Amino acid sequence: MAAPIQPQKATYDAIVIGAGIQGSFTAYHLAQRHRDTLLLEQFILPHSRGSSHGQSRIIRSVYPQECYSRMMPDSFRLWQQLEAEVGTRLYRQTGLVVLGPAGDPELESCRHSLGDSQVLNAAALAQHFPGFRLQAGEVAVLDSTAGVLFADRALRAVQEVFRRHGGTVRDGEKVLHIEPGAVVTVTTTGGVYQAPRLIITAGAWTGPLVKPLGLHLPLQPLRIDVCYWREKEPKSTNMGSVGPCFLTLGLSQAPHGIYGLPALEYPGMVKVCHHHGSPTDPEKRDQVPLGASRPDIGLLSSFISSYLPGLETQPAVMETCLYTNTPDEDFILDRHPKFSNIIIGAGFSGHGFKLSPMVGKLLCELSLGEEPSHDMAPFAITRFPDVLQAVL
């Protein structure tokens, strides 16, 4: 269903391009600061063309990177604030286990990020969660705070609160041109809008949007196979209903990591995916060439045979999603190097949803010239060489 028709006007305090979870939270924070904000979306809402659709995402405190583990308490608090504002549950606590070789540096960083965390050997893991089987020399770190975010519900909720605070959503409007200046002008298929600040959170479409602004960001859209696996015997492991989320670190057979969670989309199944995919054009992500191989499926089948023996080894349902990766898989949250009133949030690399309330706050703070709530150095555009080019 399209967003309600709202009176069209031309001038705002802020414009946000891209109404996925990152852009919606950015607009939400701006509206809460009483900034008259326009949220633009090229597709009719809701849609499944980007990275924010689907019913479920993992939320967790555990992170090998300190910059994210420091942001997660604030992110949890902001999710709870949104739940209170809409009077709807957006999260189910399930716990999460991180599987990997004992002593693996990233696994140790995860354990450290939790403080007093619980480390489970094979026997203890099987006792807590019967569906899992560890291999020799492997352990699991337990994050009891983790769980499942109700993704579609969360996206609707943040957009609802944004509108409630006076924000304007215009969907079905593709951005055609951005004219920088003290007042930025954005031309779309539906109108021309102006604001003293612009925030671009356009996911896989960010690269083409900023290229005419003289910025070549190293963003690679990836097509991800999202796979759902059925229990061999219904309710034999309960992983599809009350099982924990999981992710892997340091396993040689899955260099990019594998993650899984109870499938809200298909009750009784488990969503298990490889944290990697194939380079794609976001306009063509659903077009799979005839005869194209899907090596991730074989990798996942092998993993399930070894670690989740209660599941069928072939997926029952296969869907797709988009990641937009940076080379180091860390976010880009920064001002345009030349146009300081244009802010860019991009490259969330398949792990941004859980952090989106905090990402939106940081992008809002950048746009308003406020001191950011967290250290922004890990997210600077300048960590990548040769990003500035001549404006076309």
Side-chain angles (χ1 to χ4, degrees), residues 99-102 107 120-122 133-140 251 253 307:
L99 314 176
L107 196 65
L120 308 176
N121 61 21
R133 178 190 296 162
L134 286 175
Q135 309 303 302
E138 295 175 349
V139 295
L251 296 184
Q253 69 186 88
Y307 290 86

Side-chain angles (χ1 to χ4, degrees), residues 81-389:
Q81 176 181 306
L82 180 62
E83 282 187 321
E85 287 175 308
V86 295
T88 302
R89 284 187 65 209
L90 301 176
Y91 157 72
R92 186 177 81 193
Q93 190 170 356
T94 65
L96 172 139
V97 289
V98 186
L99 314 176
D104 177 80
E106 284 196 307
L107 196 65
E108 285 298 303
S109 294
C110 284
R111 187 178 63 80
H112 177 72
S113 76
L114 289 173
D116 186 20
S117 59
Q118 192 171 358
V119 179
L120 308 176
N121 61 21
L125 180 64
Q127 183 178 358
H128 277 75
F129 307 114
F132 289 93
R133 178 190 296 162
L134 286 175
Q135 309 303 302
E138 295 175 349
V139 295
V141 172
L142 175 62
D143 177 357
S144 59
T145 70
V148 178
L149 282 169
F150 307 146
D152 282 347
R153 191 185 303 177
L155 184 59
R156 289 194 301 271
V158 69
Q159 291 171 357
E160 175 190 327
V161 175
F162 168 64
R163 289 191 181 98
R164 197 186 295 168
H165 282 84
T168 301
V169 179
R170 299 200 66 85
D171 61 350
E173 292 198 24
K174 185 178 179 66
V175 172
L176 302 176
H177 182 67
I178 298 168
E179 183 65 36
V183 174
V184 182
T185 301
V186 179
T187 303
T188 76
T189 51
V192 179
Y193 311 99
Q194 292 187 315
R197 56 189 61 84
L198 171 68
I199 303 94
I200 299 173
T201 53
W205 288 266
T206 299
L209 267 181
V210 301
K211 189 174 181 181
L213 301 174
L215 199 56
H216 180 72
L217 296 179
L219 298 171
Q220 177 60 69
L222 298 177
R223 180 184 184 278
I224 307 298
D225 290 322
V226 181
C227 302
Y228 300 84
W229 311 75
R230 187 178 281 116
E231 292 177 308
K232 291 177 179 176
E233 298 292 334
K235 299 185 179 179
S236 60
T237 68
N238 282 328
M239 289 191 64
S241 54
V242 297
C245 307
F246 73 88
L247 59 91
T248 72
L249 289 174
L251 296 184
S252 58
Q253 69 186 88
H256 298 282
I258 291 172
Y259 66 92
L261 60 158
L264 303 179
E265 298 91 333
Y266 304 103
M269 295 189 195
V270 182
K271 182 192 292 190
V272 183
C273 307
H274 189 207
H275 190 60
H276 195 59
S278 306
T280 190
D281 177 342
E283 299 289 351
K284 302 175 181 178
R285 82 117 190 264
D286 291 324
Q287 300 175 17
V288 181
L290 290 175
S293 63
R294 303 182 88 153
D296 288 351
I297 305 305
L299 183 152
L300 290 169
S301 295
S302 175
F303 173 83
I304 284 169
S305 295
S306 299
Y307 290 86
L308 303 168
L311 301 183
E312 298 284 353
T313 57
Q314 292 299 314
V317 179
M318 290 176 53
E319 298 173 345
T320 61
C321 187
L322 281 179
Y323 284 7
T324 305
N325 278 33
T326 60
D328 57 13
E329 298 188 4
D330 287 329
F331 308 161
I332 290 172
L333 309 173
D334 204 354
R335 297 180 178 89
H336 189 292
K338 186 175 179 182
F339 309 115
S340 62
N341 60 343
I342 296 178
I343 314 300
I344 299 161
F348 296 101
S349 303
H351 64 108
F353 201 102
K354 67 185 78 62
L355 286 152
S356 56
M358 199 60 230
V359 165
K361 184 177 181 181
L362 291 168
L363 293 172
C364 170
E365 290 167 344
L366 282 176
S367 75
L368 297 176
E370 299 176 359
E371 182 69 23
S373 301
H374 288 269
D375 178 19
M376 302 299 284
F379 313 119
I381 287 174
T382 52
R383 73 186 193 269
F384 302 116
D386 303 323
V387 293
L388 263 181
Q389 299 181 348

